Amino acid sequence: MSNSTRLNALFGAAMMFGAASSTATATEPEKANVSLAVGSMIMNYMPVGLAESRGEFKKEGLTVTVQNFASGGTKALQALIGGSVDVTVGAYDHTIQMQTKGKEIVCVAQLNTRPGFSIGVRASLAEKVNSGRDLKGLRIGITAPGSSADMTVRYYLRRNGLKPADAQIVAVGSGPPGMVALENGNVDALIYWDPIATILQQKKAVKVLLDARTPEGAESAIGGKISPFACLYATRAFIEANPETTQRLVDAFIRTLRFIQQAPAAEIVHSLPDAWKLPGQHDLNVQIMEASRSLFSADGFTDPESTRIPLAILSGYSDEIENFKIDLSKTYTNHFAEEAARRLK
Protein backbone atom coordinates (compact mmCIF):
# COMPACT_ATOMS: atom_id res chain seq x y z
CA MET A 1 0.00 0.00 0.00
CA SER A 2 1.45 3.38 -0.99
CA ASN A 3 1.79 6.21 1.51
CA SER A 4 -0.96 8.15 -0.25
CA THR A 5 -3.31 5.15 -0.20
CA ARG A 6 -2.63 4.60 3.49
CA LEU A 7 -3.30 8.24 4.28
CA ASN A 8 -6.53 8.15 2.29
CA ALA A 9 -7.63 5.03 4.18
CA LEU A 10 -6.87 6.59 7.55
CA PHE A 11 -8.55 9.85 6.56
CA GLY A 12 -11.63 7.96 5.40
CA ALA A 13 -11.84 6.06 8.68
CA ALA A 14 -11.51 9.27 10.68
CA MET A 15 -14.27 10.92 8.68
CA MET A 16 -16.53 7.86 8.90
CA PHE A 17 -16.26 7.54 12.65
CA GLY A 18 -15.72 11.23 13.32
CA ALA A 19 -18.80 11.39 15.53
CA ALA A 20 -16.96 9.39 18.16
CA SER A 21 -14.05 11.82 18.29
CA SER A 22 -16.27 14.62 19.52
CA THR A 23 -17.39 12.65 22.56
CA ALA A 24 -15.73 13.20 25.89
CA THR A 25 -15.10 10.44 28.36
CA ALA A 26 -17.90 11.86 30.49
CA THR A 27 -20.44 11.20 27.72
CA GLU A 28 -22.79 8.39 28.64
CA PRO A 29 -22.56 5.25 26.50
CA GLU A 30 -25.45 4.86 24.10
CA LYS A 31 -25.81 1.21 25.12
CA ALA A 32 -24.68 0.31 28.62
CA ASN A 33 -25.62 -3.38 28.37
CA VAL A 34 -23.57 -5.07 25.66
CA SER A 35 -23.53 -8.70 24.48
CA LEU A 36 -20.20 -10.01 23.21
CA ALA A 37 -19.66 -13.30 21.36
CA VAL A 38 -16.45 -15.32 21.30
CA GLY A 39 -15.92 -18.54 19.38
CA SER A 40 -13.87 -20.45 21.94
CA MET A 41 -11.41 -20.09 24.80
CA ILE A 42 -8.20 -20.25 22.79
CA MET A 43 -5.32 -18.13 24.04
CA ASN A 44 -5.76 -15.57 21.24
CA TYR A 45 -9.13 -14.58 22.69
CA MET A 46 -7.86 -14.51 26.28
CA PRO A 47 -8.20 -10.70 26.63
CA VAL A 48 -11.97 -11.25 26.78
CA GLY A 49 -11.72 -13.23 30.02
CA LEU A 50 -9.00 -10.99 31.41
CA ALA A 51 -10.90 -7.76 30.74
CA GLU A 52 -13.99 -9.27 32.35
CA SER A 53 -12.21 -10.50 35.48
CA ARG A 54 -10.28 -7.27 35.98
CA GLY A 55 -13.46 -5.23 35.80
CA GLU A 56 -12.32 -3.26 32.77
CA PHE A 57 -15.80 -3.16 31.25
CA LYS A 58 -17.34 -1.98 34.52
CA LYS A 59 -14.74 0.80 34.73
CA GLU A 60 -16.16 2.02 31.43
CA GLY A 61 -19.73 1.97 32.74
CA LEU A 62 -20.61 -1.11 30.70
CA THR A 63 -22.22 -4.40 31.61
CA VAL A 64 -20.85 -6.91 29.11
CA THR A 65 -22.40 -10.36 28.80
CA VAL A 66 -20.01 -12.81 27.14
CA GLN A 67 -21.39 -15.70 25.10
CA ASN A 68 -18.80 -18.41 24.41
CA PHE A 69 -19.89 -20.65 21.55
CA ALA A 70 -17.03 -23.13 22.18
CA SER A 71 -17.04 -24.27 18.57
CA GLY A 72 -14.88 -21.85 16.59
CA GLY A 73 -15.38 -18.33 15.34
CA THR A 74 -17.95 -19.13 12.66
CA LYS A 75 -20.78 -19.42 15.19
CA ALA A 76 -19.80 -16.16 16.87
CA LEU A 77 -19.79 -14.41 13.51
CA GLN A 78 -23.24 -15.81 12.72
CA ALA A 79 -24.52 -14.52 16.03
CA LEU A 80 -23.34 -11.02 15.15
CA ILE A 81 -24.81 -11.11 11.65
CA GLY A 82 -28.06 -12.52 13.03
CA GLY A 83 -28.30 -9.71 15.58
CA SER A 84 -28.28 -11.87 18.72
CA VAL A 85 -25.07 -10.17 19.96
CA ASP A 86 -23.73 -6.64 19.65
CA VAL A 87 -20.00 -7.24 19.14
CA THR A 88 -17.66 -10.16 18.62
CA VAL A 89 -14.07 -11.07 19.39
CA GLY A 90 -13.06 -13.26 16.49
CA ALA A 91 -10.76 -13.61 13.51
CA TYR A 92 -10.05 -10.46 11.52
CA ASP A 93 -10.59 -12.36 8.26
CA HIS A 94 -14.34 -12.42 8.97
CA THR A 95 -14.41 -8.72 8.08
CA ILE A 96 -13.09 -9.61 4.62
CA GLN A 97 -15.43 -12.54 4.11
CA MET A 98 -18.51 -10.54 4.96
CA GLN A 99 -17.65 -7.77 2.50
CA THR A 100 -18.38 -10.20 -0.34
CA LYS A 101 -21.81 -10.80 1.22
CA GLY A 102 -22.65 -7.11 1.35
CA LYS A 103 -22.21 -7.06 5.15
CA GLU A 104 -20.01 -4.35 6.63
CA ILE A 105 -18.09 -5.73 9.57
CA VAL A 106 -15.35 -3.53 10.99
CA CYS A 107 -12.42 -4.39 13.26
CA VAL A 108 -12.18 -1.63 15.89
CA ALA A 109 -9.31 -3.03 17.99
CA GLN A 110 -6.67 -5.54 17.02
CA LEU A 111 -5.84 -7.99 19.82
CA ASN A 112 -3.21 -10.12 18.05
CA THR A 113 -0.30 -9.20 15.80
CA ARG A 114 0.24 -12.78 14.65
CA PRO A 115 -2.08 -15.80 14.40
CA GLY A 116 -0.40 -17.94 17.06
CA PHE A 117 -1.44 -21.36 15.77
CA SER A 118 0.70 -24.46 15.51
CA ILE A 119 0.49 -27.35 13.09
CA GLY A 120 1.77 -30.71 14.24
CA VAL A 121 1.50 -34.44 13.62
CA ARG A 122 1.08 -37.34 16.02
CA ALA A 123 4.35 -38.37 17.60
CA SER A 124 4.07 -41.81 16.00
CA LEU A 125 4.43 -40.13 12.58
CA ALA A 126 7.50 -38.11 13.55
CA GLU A 127 9.89 -40.05 11.32
CA LYS A 128 7.59 -39.93 8.30
CA VAL A 129 6.49 -36.28 8.38
CA ASN A 130 9.16 -33.61 8.29
CA SER A 131 7.43 -30.77 6.45
CA GLY A 132 4.11 -29.64 5.07
CA ARG A 133 4.81 -31.60 1.88
CA ASP A 134 4.64 -34.82 3.87
CA LEU A 135 1.01 -34.18 4.86
CA LYS A 136 -0.15 -35.61 1.54
CA GLY A 137 -2.74 -38.33 2.12
CA LEU A 138 -3.04 -37.61 5.84
CA ARG A 139 -6.07 -36.53 7.89
CA ILE A 140 -5.72 -32.99 9.22
CA GLY A 141 -7.96 -31.78 12.04
CA ILE A 142 -9.48 -28.29 11.93
CA THR A 143 -12.05 -26.59 14.15
CA ALA A 144 -14.93 -26.32 11.66
CA PRO A 145 -15.57 -26.06 7.91
CA GLY A 146 -15.10 -22.52 6.66
CA SER A 147 -13.29 -21.47 9.82
CA SER A 148 -10.02 -19.57 9.93
CA ALA A 149 -8.37 -22.87 10.83
CA ASP A 150 -9.79 -24.48 7.70
CA MET A 151 -8.61 -21.66 5.44
CA THR A 152 -5.19 -21.48 7.07
CA VAL A 153 -4.55 -25.23 6.66
CA ARG A 154 -5.49 -25.03 2.98
CA TYR A 155 -3.19 -22.05 2.50
CA TYR A 156 -0.36 -23.85 4.29
CA LEU A 157 -0.79 -26.89 2.05
CA ARG A 158 -0.57 -24.70 -1.04
CA ARG A 159 2.59 -23.03 0.27
CA ASN A 160 4.04 -26.51 0.52
CA GLY A 161 3.19 -27.50 -3.03
CA LEU A 162 0.01 -29.46 -2.25
CA LYS A 163 -3.63 -29.00 -3.11
CA PRO A 164 -6.22 -29.14 -0.32
CA ALA A 165 -7.60 -32.27 -1.97
CA ASP A 166 -4.23 -33.97 -1.41
CA ALA A 167 -5.11 -34.32 2.29
CA GLN A 168 -8.31 -35.13 4.16
CA ILE A 169 -9.45 -32.11 6.16
CA VAL A 170 -11.59 -33.14 9.13
CA ALA A 171 -13.63 -30.97 11.53
CA VAL A 172 -12.82 -31.95 15.13
CA GLY A 173 -13.81 -28.87 17.12
CA SER A 174 -11.74 -26.35 19.02
CA GLY A 175 -9.46 -26.99 22.01
CA PRO A 176 -9.58 -30.30 23.93
CA PRO A 177 -11.72 -32.18 21.36
CA GLY A 178 -9.07 -31.58 18.72
CA MET A 179 -6.33 -32.78 21.05
CA VAL A 180 -8.29 -35.93 21.85
CA ALA A 181 -8.87 -36.59 18.16
CA LEU A 182 -5.13 -36.36 17.50
CA GLU A 183 -4.11 -38.52 20.45
CA ASN A 184 -6.72 -41.16 19.63
CA GLY A 185 -5.58 -41.37 16.02
CA ASN A 186 -8.79 -39.99 14.54
CA VAL A 187 -6.63 -37.44 12.73
CA ASP A 188 -2.94 -37.56 11.83
CA ALA A 189 -2.24 -33.84 12.07
CA LEU A 190 -3.87 -30.87 13.74
CA ILE A 191 -3.95 -27.09 13.69
CA TYR A 192 -4.21 -25.84 17.27
CA TRP A 193 -3.61 -22.94 19.63
CA ASP A 194 -2.54 -22.56 23.22
CA PRO A 195 -3.20 -23.93 25.76
CA ILE A 196 -3.34 -27.10 23.61
CA ALA A 197 0.01 -26.25 21.99
CA THR A 198 1.91 -26.28 25.28
CA ILE A 199 0.04 -29.33 26.62
CA LEU A 200 0.77 -31.44 23.53
CA GLN A 201 4.44 -30.47 23.59
CA GLN A 202 4.77 -31.28 27.29
CA LYS A 203 3.13 -34.65 26.74
CA LYS A 204 5.45 -35.25 23.77
CA ALA A 205 2.33 -36.27 21.87
CA VAL A 206 3.09 -34.19 18.79
CA LYS A 207 5.86 -33.31 16.38
CA VAL A 208 5.56 -29.60 15.65
CA LEU A 209 5.86 -28.69 11.97
CA LEU A 210 5.54 -24.98 12.65
CA ASP A 211 4.80 -22.65 15.52
CA ALA A 212 3.22 -19.36 14.42
CA ARG A 213 3.51 -17.90 17.91
CA THR A 214 6.97 -16.79 16.84
CA PRO A 215 7.76 -14.31 14.03
CA GLU A 216 9.78 -16.98 12.22
CA GLY A 217 7.00 -19.55 12.48
CA ALA A 218 4.38 -17.08 11.29
CA GLU A 219 6.49 -16.16 8.29
CA SER A 220 6.99 -19.84 7.42
CA ALA A 221 3.28 -20.56 7.71
CA ILE A 222 1.67 -17.54 6.10
CA GLY A 223 4.43 -15.42 4.60
CA GLY A 224 4.60 -12.60 7.12
CA LYS A 225 5.88 -12.00 10.66
CA ILE A 226 2.90 -9.74 11.42
CA SER A 227 -0.65 -10.69 10.54
CA PRO A 228 -3.89 -9.74 12.30
CA PHE A 229 -5.90 -12.51 13.88
CA ALA A 230 -8.16 -11.92 16.88
CA CYS A 231 -9.87 -8.56 16.99
CA LEU A 232 -12.92 -6.82 18.39
CA TYR A 233 -15.35 -6.28 15.54
CA ALA A 234 -18.91 -5.09 15.04
CA THR A 235 -21.24 -4.11 12.26
CA ARG A 236 -20.75 -0.65 10.83
CA ALA A 237 -24.35 0.11 11.77
CA PHE A 238 -23.69 -0.69 15.45
CA ILE A 239 -20.50 1.40 15.50
CA GLU A 240 -22.13 4.44 13.92
CA ALA A 241 -25.14 4.21 16.24
CA ASN A 242 -23.01 3.59 19.35
CA PRO A 243 -19.67 5.41 18.97
CA GLU A 244 -19.17 6.06 22.69
CA THR A 245 -20.06 2.49 23.61
CA THR A 246 -17.62 1.25 20.97
CA GLN A 247 -14.93 3.56 22.28
CA ARG A 248 -15.39 2.35 25.83
CA LEU A 249 -15.13 -1.28 24.73
CA VAL A 250 -11.91 -0.46 22.90
CA ASP A 251 -10.56 1.43 25.93
CA ALA A 252 -11.26 -1.61 28.13
CA PHE A 253 -9.46 -3.96 25.77
CA ILE A 254 -6.46 -1.69 25.28
CA ARG A 255 -5.99 -1.34 29.04
CA THR A 256 -6.09 -5.15 29.12
CA LEU A 257 -3.50 -5.42 26.32
CA ARG A 258 -1.20 -3.05 28.20
CA PHE A 259 -1.55 -5.21 31.30
CA ILE A 260 -0.61 -8.31 29.30
CA GLN A 261 2.55 -6.61 28.03
CA GLN A 262 3.62 -5.20 31.38
CA ALA A 263 2.59 -7.67 34.11
CA PRO A 264 4.50 -10.83 35.08
CA ALA A 265 3.00 -13.96 33.54
CA ALA A 266 2.08 -15.30 36.99
CA GLU A 267 0.10 -12.14 37.75
CA ILE A 268 -1.80 -12.43 34.47
CA VAL A 269 -2.64 -16.06 35.23
CA HIS A 270 -3.79 -15.12 38.72
CA SER A 271 -6.11 -12.50 37.20
CA LEU A 272 -7.72 -14.87 34.70
CA PRO A 273 -11.09 -16.48 35.45
CA ASP A 274 -10.86 -20.21 36.14
CA ALA A 275 -12.67 -21.00 32.90
CA TRP A 276 -9.80 -19.51 30.92
CA LYS A 277 -7.01 -21.60 32.46
CA LEU A 278 -6.21 -25.21 33.23
CA PRO A 279 -7.47 -26.23 36.68
CA GLY A 280 -4.80 -27.04 39.23
CA GLN A 281 -1.97 -26.36 36.76
CA HIS A 282 -0.49 -23.05 37.91
CA ASP A 283 3.03 -23.61 36.61
CA LEU A 284 1.75 -24.87 33.26
CA ASN A 285 -0.59 -21.91 32.94
CA VAL A 286 2.34 -19.57 33.55
CA GLN A 287 4.38 -21.37 30.87
CA ILE A 288 1.50 -21.05 28.41
CA MET A 289 1.21 -17.34 29.14
CA GLU A 290 4.94 -16.80 28.67
CA ALA A 291 4.87 -18.67 25.36
CA SER A 292 1.90 -16.69 24.08
CA ARG A 293 2.53 -13.16 25.33
CA SER A 294 4.15 -12.09 22.05
CA LEU A 295 0.88 -12.75 20.19
CA PHE A 296 -0.79 -9.72 21.68
CA SER A 297 -0.83 -6.19 20.42
CA ALA A 298 0.25 -3.47 22.80
CA ASP A 299 -1.95 -0.73 21.35
CA GLY A 300 -4.87 -2.25 19.40
CA PHE A 301 -3.75 -0.79 16.08
CA THR A 302 -4.11 -2.63 12.76
CA ASP A 303 -1.10 -2.39 10.46
CA PRO A 304 -2.47 -1.69 6.95
CA GLU A 305 0.15 -3.78 5.16
CA SER A 306 -0.49 -6.81 7.38
CA THR A 307 -4.10 -7.07 6.23
CA ARG A 308 -2.91 -8.31 2.85
CA ILE A 309 -1.94 -11.67 4.35
CA PRO A 310 -5.45 -12.67 5.51
CA LEU A 311 -6.74 -11.53 2.12
CA ALA A 312 -4.22 -13.81 0.38
CA ILE A 313 -5.26 -16.73 2.60
CA LEU A 314 -8.93 -16.17 1.90
CA SER A 315 -8.38 -15.66 -1.82
CA GLY A 316 -6.71 -19.06 -1.98
CA TYR A 317 -9.75 -20.60 -0.30
CA SER A 318 -12.56 -18.85 -2.13
CA ASP A 319 -12.91 -17.91 -5.80
CA GLU A 320 -15.62 -15.49 -4.73
CA ILE A 321 -13.17 -13.56 -2.56
CA GLU A 322 -10.36 -13.81 -5.12
CA ASN A 323 -12.59 -12.27 -7.80
CA PHE A 324 -14.15 -9.66 -5.52
CA LYS A 325 -12.61 -6.20 -5.28
CA ILE A 326 -12.06 -6.19 -1.53
CA ASP A 327 -11.55 -2.75 -0.02
CA LEU A 328 -9.31 -3.54 2.95
CA SER A 329 -9.58 0.02 4.27
CA LYS A 330 -13.25 -0.71 5.07
CA THR A 331 -12.45 -3.81 7.13
CA TYR A 332 -10.83 -1.95 10.02
CA THR A 333 -10.42 1.45 11.60
CA ASN A 334 -7.65 2.70 13.88
CA HIS A 335 -9.77 5.65 14.96
CA PHE A 336 -10.84 4.12 18.27
CA ALA A 337 -7.32 2.91 19.11
CA GLU A 338 -6.03 6.41 18.44
CA GLU A 339 -8.69 7.89 20.71
CA ALA A 340 -7.88 5.29 23.37
CA ALA A 341 -4.23 6.29 23.25
CA ARG A 342 -5.31 9.87 23.95
CA ARG A 343 -7.77 8.94 26.72
CA LEU A 344 -5.55 6.44 28.49
CA LYS A 345 -2.35 8.49 28.80
Side-chain angles (χ1 to χ4, degrees):
M1 182 182 287
S2 67
N3 287 336
S4 61
T5 303
R6 183 182 295 109
L7 287 172
N8 287 337
L10 292 174
F11 178 76
M15 290 294 289
M16 190 165 300
F17 298 108
S21 65
S22 64
T23 61
T25 306
T27 302
E28 290 298 317
E30 302 85 0
K31 187 176 176 63
N33 296 307
V34 179
S35 54
L36 183 154
V38 63
S40 60
M41 289 184 176
I42 62 173
M43 179 57 66
N44 299 62
Y45 302 156
M46 179 270 292
V48 173
L50 192 58
E52 191 175 24
S53 67
R54 284 176 52 80
E56 299 295 358
F57 300 128
K58 290 183 179 180
K59 292 175 187 175
E60 294 295 333
L62 302 176
T63 299
V64 176
T65 302
V66 177
Q67 296 185 35
N68 174 26
F69 286 86
S71 60
T74 306
K75 293 291 186 182
L77 172 63
Q78 291 172 351
L80 183 77
I81 297 299
S84 61
V85 298
D86 298 311
V87 298
T88 295
V89 167
Y92 162 78
D93 61 31
H94 294 159
T95 66
I96 298 174
Q97 294 176 56
M98 288 299 101
Q99 197 172 118
T100 68
K101 309 296 183 185
K103 306 289 186 182
E104 292 195 80
I105 306 298
V106 183
C107 167
V108 294
Q110 196 63 242
L111 305 186
N112 300 155
T113 54
R114 60 181 58 93
F117 62 84
S118 296
I119 295 178
V121 297
R122 282 187 287 113
S124 61
L125 296 173
E127 294 184 3
K128 296 180 180 179
V129 182
N130 296 300
S131 72
R133 291 181 178 271
D134 299 326
L135 292 173
K136 186 173 183 179
L138 299 185
R139 297 162 297 171
I140 306 174
I142 61 166
T143 57
S147 65
S148 297
D150 187 6
M151 297 176 195
T152 301
V153 163
R154 292 169 188 268
Y155 187 70
Y156 176 67
L157 290 172
R158 289 190 179 94
R159 284 180 60 83
N160 282 273
L162 300 178
K163 298 177 182 178
D166 289 334
Q168 184 180 352
I169 299 175
V170 183
V172 294
S174 178
M179 179 174 67
V180 172
L182 182 72
E183 292 183 304
N184 288 347
N186 297 326
V187 293
D188 305 303
L190 183 70
I191 181 171
Y192 50 92
W193 286 259
D194 258 326
I196 300 303
T198 301
I199 295 172
L200 284 173
Q201 287 178 250
Q202 285 212 340
K203 295 171 71 173
K204 298 182 179 179
V206 67
K207 176 180 180 178
V208 181
L209 297 181
L210 65 88
D211 184 345
R213 292 175 296 182
T214 68
E216 297 75 20
E219 188 163 34
S220 173
I222 57 177
K225 294 180 178 179
I226 297 177
S227 176
F229 184 73
C231 70
L232 174 67
Y233 63 72
T235 64
R236 187 174 300 277
F238 178 87
I239 296 166
E240 291 179 347
N242 303 279
E244 179 64 19
T245 300
T246 303
Q247 185 64 62
R248 290 182 181 223
L249 286 167
V250 172
D251 291 354
F253 274 111
I254 290 180
R255 273 202 308 273
T256 302
L257 291 173
R258 290 181 180 181
F259 178 72
I260 292 170
Q261 295 299 324
Q262 297 167 3
E267 185 177 350
I268 300 172
V269 169
H270 177 75
S271 298
L272 273 174
D274 290 342
W276 285 84
K277 53 191 175 185
L278 302 173
Q281 300 282 337
H282 175 75
D283 291 345
L284 180 57
N285 284 315
V286 172
Q287 290 176 35
I288 291 168
M289 192 62 61
E290 288 285 12
S292 299
R293 191 199 298 262
S294 64
L295 297 180
F296 298 101
S297 170
D299 54 20
F301 280 76
T302 298
D303 177 81
E305 293 294 339
S306 71
T307 61
R308 294 177 176 273
I309 294 176
L311 177 58
I313 293 172
L314 292 168
S315 296
Y317 178 83
S318 166
D319 290 339
E320 180 184 17
I321 292 175
E322 185 178 22
N323 297 325
F324 195 94
K325 292 184 178 179
I326 297 291
D327 185 346
L328 288 172
S329 70
K330 291 183 178 179
T331 64
Y332 71 93
T333 176
N334 282 324
H335 172 77
F336 295 99
E338 291 169 351
E339 177 66 10
R342 185 189 69 80
R343 290 189 180 195
L344 303 178
K345 285 182 180 179

